[in-house]
Amino acid sequence: MVELEYPNIFSKADLKSIKSQKTFIKLNRAILVLLIISTITSSILIEEDVITFIASVLLVFSLIFTILIMVFKPEKSWYDGRAIAESTKSLTWKFITKTKPFGYQLKNNEAEEKLIENLKQIIGQKRDFFKLIGEEFSEGEQITLSMRELRNLSLDERIKNYSQNRLEVQKKWYFNKSKENRRNKNLSFATLITFQIFAIGSLALDYLNILQFTLTPLMACLASSVIAWQQLKRYQELTESYGITATELNLIKSKVKHIEDESSFERFVDDAETAISREHTLWLARRDSTELFR
């Protein structure tokens, strides 16, 4: 079977989205770490001048990172890039499976023209994002040789290719991500509870005057940081949405034996792509108002 090579739009948008996501998460992590260290410094050090200086430096750096997030908005590049990549990916699979809007009734040149129109729409609606990509976007092919070859396969071969390399791969991805987020959710809640218990214990130590310094502000800061991280990563929501989508795709995949002709295959692909699109639309809605191209 020919290995699918996606349009250059997908490759560049996907790469930019991943880089922007990493930048956004690193900056937020740095802010939280600086605030924690600042709290530790204020709780442990004795000399007031040293406390003031170190805490001030840490807070200044945290402010700089916050301004960087506000000015460069890496989360917007992350969301826009992901929306463009997922939309292009879905269009590509519809194209190579000969399903609407690139149906089997269309000649290859007509389907290619329709695909180009859809890609132009993506570029037109996301001009700011493509300015970030620059000349890299214009280097590669938008309709690759592998896309043309896969589109020309027989119906049985297209069904097999879509079932194995799109549905099964996507289902496993959602399933693994659901497990990963559930694990991280449980770990983060356990950590949060631990810090809250330590905060209560620290209050008891303060009341008894056992220690020369207080740990309560530090424990409270750590607990707040965990909550902030949970809000950033959205473990609970992603656990549920990824799990539901994986189950839905598994149910859709079970219908593959019922495909009898081009029309039934078209409905099959449309159901699957709608499920994938629905999950990603909800993902974007939880973060931004970015439109998912369809």
Side-chain angles (χ1 to χ4, degrees), residues 223-235:
S224 299
S225 297
V226 172
I227 294 173
W229 192 252
Q230 287 177 330
Q231 292 298 314
L232 176 67
K233 301 294 284 185
R234 298 182 183 271
Y235 294 131

Side-chain angles (χ1 to χ4, degrees), residues 115 119 209:
L115 177 58
L119 296 179
N209 292 320

Side-chain angles (χ1 to χ4, degrees), residues 193-211 213-216 219:
I193 291 170
T194 299
F195 287 146
Q196 290 175 317
I197 292 173
F198 283 163
I200 294 172
S202 177
L203 285 173
L205 294 176
D206 292 342
Y207 178 77
L208 297 173
N209 292 320
I210 295 177
L211 299 177
F213 54 87
T214 177
L215 290 175
T216 304
M219 293 300 108

Side-chain angles (χ1 to χ4, degrees), residues 69-218:
I69 292 176
M70 183 182 68
V71 172
F72 292 103
K73 299 178 180 178
E75 75 280 10
K76 189 175 188 307
S77 295
W78 170 19
Y79 307 155
D80 285 353
R82 181 52 42 208
I84 293 167
E86 291 299 325
S87 298
T88 304
K89 194 174 187 179
S90 183
L91 288 173
T92 300
W93 278 101
K94 290 179 179 180
F95 174 82
I96 66 176
T97 53
K98 290 188 177 181
T99 54
K100 61 179 182 182
F102 318 106
Y104 60 93
Q105 305 94 336
L106 296 179
K107 296 179 181 179
N108 286 341
N109 62 326
E110 294 174 334
E112 289 185 14
E113 288 177 5
K114 200 168 187 64
L115 177 58
I116 290 171
E117 289 176 6
N118 278 269
L119 296 179
K120 282 183 178 179
Q121 182 185 2
I122 293 177
I123 298 171
Q125 294 188 29
K126 293 297 176 185
R127 291 186 182 277
D128 290 342
F129 179 83
F130 284 102
K131 286 178 182 177
L132 294 175
I133 298 178
E135 70 280 356
E136 294 181 8
F137 162 68
S138 61
E139 291 177 350
E141 292 290 333
Q142 304 306 334
I143 302 180
T144 62
L145 178 61
S146 62
M147 289 169 61
R148 292 187 173 99
E149 291 179 356
L150 289 169
R151 181 176 172 84
N152 289 326
L153 294 176
S154 67
L155 174 60
D156 288 341
E157 289 174 321
R158 279 182 280 125
I159 293 172
K160 181 180 179 181
N161 180 40
Y162 185 79
S163 179
Q164 293 180 350
N165 298 321
R166 174 59 162 168
L167 267 189
E168 186 62 26
V169 170
Q170 202 70 36
K171 184 193 72 174
K172 287 182 178 178
W173 188 89
Y174 283 125
F175 178 74
N176 290 334
K177 282 294 182 179
S178 181
K179 286 179 59 179
E180 178 185 334
N181 278 279
R182 180 179 291 105
R183 182 170 60 251
N184 290 333
K185 178 198 69 175
N186 294 336
L187 178 61
S188 65
F189 272 111
T191 304
L192 175 60
I193 291 170
T194 299
F195 287 146
Q196 290 175 317
I197 292 173
F198 283 163
I200 294 172
S202 177
L203 285 173
L205 294 176
D206 292 342
Y207 178 77
L208 297 173
N209 292 320
I210 295 177
L211 299 177
Q212 297 299 316
F213 54 87
T214 177
L215 290 175
T216 304
L218 174 59

Side-chain angles (χ1 to χ4, degrees), residues 11-126:
S11 303
K12 299 307 178 182
D14 184 57
L15 181 61
K16 183 65 178 179
S17 178
I18 292 172
K19 287 183 178 179
S20 299
Q21 178 191 14
K22 289 180 179 178
T23 299
F24 179 65
I25 291 176
K26 284 180 180 179
L27 287 173
N28 277 280
R29 183 189 293 124
I31 292 170
L32 292 176
V33 169
L34 287 170
L35 293 175
I36 291 170
I37 295 175
S38 176
T39 303
I40 293 175
T41 303
S42 301
S43 300
I44 297 178
L45 294 181
I46 304 301
E47 299 180 28
E48 293 185 0
D49 291 341
V50 177
I51 292 174
T52 302
F53 175 75
I54 295 178
S56 298
V57 170
L58 293 173
L59 290 175
V60 167
F61 275 106
S62 69
L63 174 62
I64 291 173
F65 289 148
T66 302
I67 292 174
L68 287 175
I69 292 176
M70 183 182 68
V71 172
F72 292 103
K73 299 178 180 178
E75 75 280 10
K76 189 175 188 307
S77 295
W78 170 19
Y79 307 155
D80 285 353
R82 181 52 42 208
I84 293 167
E86 291 299 325
S87 298
T88 304
K89 194 174 187 179
S90 183
L91 288 173
T92 300
W93 278 101
K94 290 179 179 180
F95 174 82
I96 66 176
T97 53
K98 290 188 177 181
T99 54
K100 61 179 182 182
F102 318 106
Y104 60 93
Q105 305 94 336
L106 296 179
K107 296 179 181 179
N108 286 341
N109 62 326
E110 294 174 334
E112 289 185 14
E113 288 177 5
K114 200 168 187 64
L115 177 58
I116 290 171
E117 289 176 6
N118 278 269
L119 296 179
K120 282 183 178 179
Q121 182 185 2
I122 293 177
I123 298 171
Q125 294 188 29
K126 293 297 176 185

Side-chain angles (χ1 to χ4, degrees), residues 246-263:
T247 302
E248 187 174 2
L249 290 180
N250 192 44
L251 292 172
I252 293 172
K253 190 172 183 291
S254 66
K255 301 178 184 178
V256 69
K257 295 180 180 179
H258 301 160
I259 299 174
E260 299 175 347
D261 51 25
E262 294 280 6
S263 296

